[in-house]
Amino acid sequence: MDEVSILLVDDEQAILHMLKTVLLKEQFVDIDTVTTGEDAISACENKTYHCIVLDVMLPGRSGLEICPFLRQLTDAPILFLTAKTTDYDKLTGFAVGGDDYVVKPFNPLEVVARIKSLLKRYLPKQTAANRLHSLHDATPSSAAPQEGVYDYGRFQVLEQAGELRVEGQVVSCPALVYQLLLFFCKHPNRIFTKSELYERVWGSESISDDNTVMVHIHRIRERIEADPSKPELLVNVRGLGYKLIQSDMESRG
């Protein structure tokens, strides 16, 4: 895990020490810790992280308040630590850019398991994107290979590049939002229940949560739909689940 950098953000030194100790035992070696939201922003301005563990209840600006600023600096998955358990609090965390959450008090091994699950989805995407950018930033989009390109007319997903393009423009897409959209792209016109989506995208080691799927579907719609309030591409089939519609005129690689 030498290549993986993790940032831990919590105002309780005991929690930082506990998480860092467990992560070190799991062979993670590049671990930074900060105790305020402002320090977290500074850290992300000066270093690339692959996962951020962010406490909600921080002194000064809360984790929920600084998350949008972190999202401007990094696409790394963000795991919230929260003492709040209501659906509203969880949904707020997803809405501001979080990818997952753990409720305090927690087992540190669960946090590590969640981090590993997030990294499984984030690292392949980042590696693919870096490979593409290293070729040449000025490579025309029309030159992209067709294999692994999922074309849905209004938007395209370039799997090898780890990119989402909407009407020709690259659109930022958090790791798990991208992975869920990619899964739909690979299975067009097929209905999936929320539990099926959670198992296939988040993995069997994660704890199923319908709200998580719904929030990530909403975040996909915000990116690919002309009017997210009236979705025409990623639709809900009442009583059955969700499907991504692909017309006969659209093709995929």
Side-chain angles (χ1 to χ4, degrees):
M1 298 291 184
D2 292 358
E3 74 282 3
V4 175
S5 296
I6 297 175
L7 177 64
L8 306 177
V9 189
D10 200 299
D11 62 325
E12 296 185 46
Q13 289 291 345
I15 289 179
L16 292 176
H17 177 73
M18 175 180 63
L19 289 177
K20 186 170 183 177
T21 299
V22 175
L23 285 166
L24 288 170
K25 289 181 179 179
E26 293 293 321
Q27 309 304 312
F28 292 95
V29 296
D30 189 356
I31 307 166
D32 294 335
T33 63
V34 295
T35 57
T36 69
E38 288 74 14
D39 287 343
I41 293 172
S42 294
C44 289
E45 287 175 337
N46 293 290
K47 183 174 178 178
T48 298
Y49 291 99
H50 302 95
C51 188
I52 300 170
V53 179
L54 178 61
D55 185 28
V56 170
M57 302 300 292
L58 292 171
R61 288 190 289 181
S62 72
L64 296 177
E65 290 176 308
I66 70 160
C67 190
F69 294 96
L70 296 179
R71 271 286 161 254
Q72 295 177 21
L73 300 169
T74 177
D75 197 33
I78 295 176
L79 172 66
F80 275 116
L81 302 179
T82 177
K84 300 181 178 181
T85 58
T86 67
D87 287 341
Y88 174 79
D89 294 316
K90 296 173 186 176
L91 293 172
T92 300
F94 289 125
V96 297
D99 295 283
D100 202 355
Y101 64 90
V102 174
V103 177
K104 294 181 177 180
F106 55 78
N107 184 328
L109 293 177
E110 179 187 357
V111 177
V112 174
R114 300 269 185 157
I115 290 172
K116 289 181 177 179
S117 179
L118 291 168
L119 288 172
K120 284 180 184 177
R121 291 154 182 81
Y122 173 69
L123 291 178
K125 172 191 170 186
Q126 188 198 51
T127 301
N130 288 343
R131 276 202 308 268
L132 180 74
H133 295 155
S134 68
L135 293 176
H136 204 292
D137 288 340
T139 301
S141 60
S142 59
Q146 289 304 302
E147 183 179 359
V149 176
Y150 300 87
D151 190 346
Y152 281 76
R154 175 177 165 79
F155 76 93
Q156 297 79 40
V157 173
L158 286 68
E159 184 176 10
Q160 300 303 316
E163 285 186 354
L164 166 64
R165 297 188 180 188
V166 181
E167 296 186 325
Q169 300 297 314
V170 176
V171 175
S172 175
C173 199
L176 281 171
V177 175
Y178 174 84
Q179 291 294 341
L180 181 58
L181 176 57
L182 179 61
F183 177 79
F184 274 118
C185 288
K186 291 182 175 181
H187 304 88
N189 302 319
R190 178 176 168 184
I191 299 172
F192 293 94
T193 66
K194 286 179 284 190
S195 60
E196 286 175 330
L197 291 169
Y198 203 95
E199 181 178 350
R200 299 287 291 275
V201 177
W202 277 259
S204 57
E205 72 273 20
S206 300
I207 301 173
S208 180
D209 187 333
D210 286 352
N211 286 332
T212 299
V213 176
M214 292 171 62
V215 168
H216 282 70
I217 284 175
H218 176 70
R219 292 168 74 178
I220 290 174
R221 286 171 170 168
E222 288 180 326
R223 289 164 170 80
I224 69 172
E225 299 281 0
D227 183 353
S229 66
K230 299 177 181 178
E232 297 180 345
L233 300 170
L234 182 52
V235 301
N236 173 243
V237 182
R238 188 177 296 275
L240 296 177
Y242 296 89
K243 71 175 179 178
L244 183 64
I245 296 176
Q246 182 184 53
S247 69
D248 293 338
M249 296 297 293
E250 297 162 351
S251 61
R252 62 190 182 99

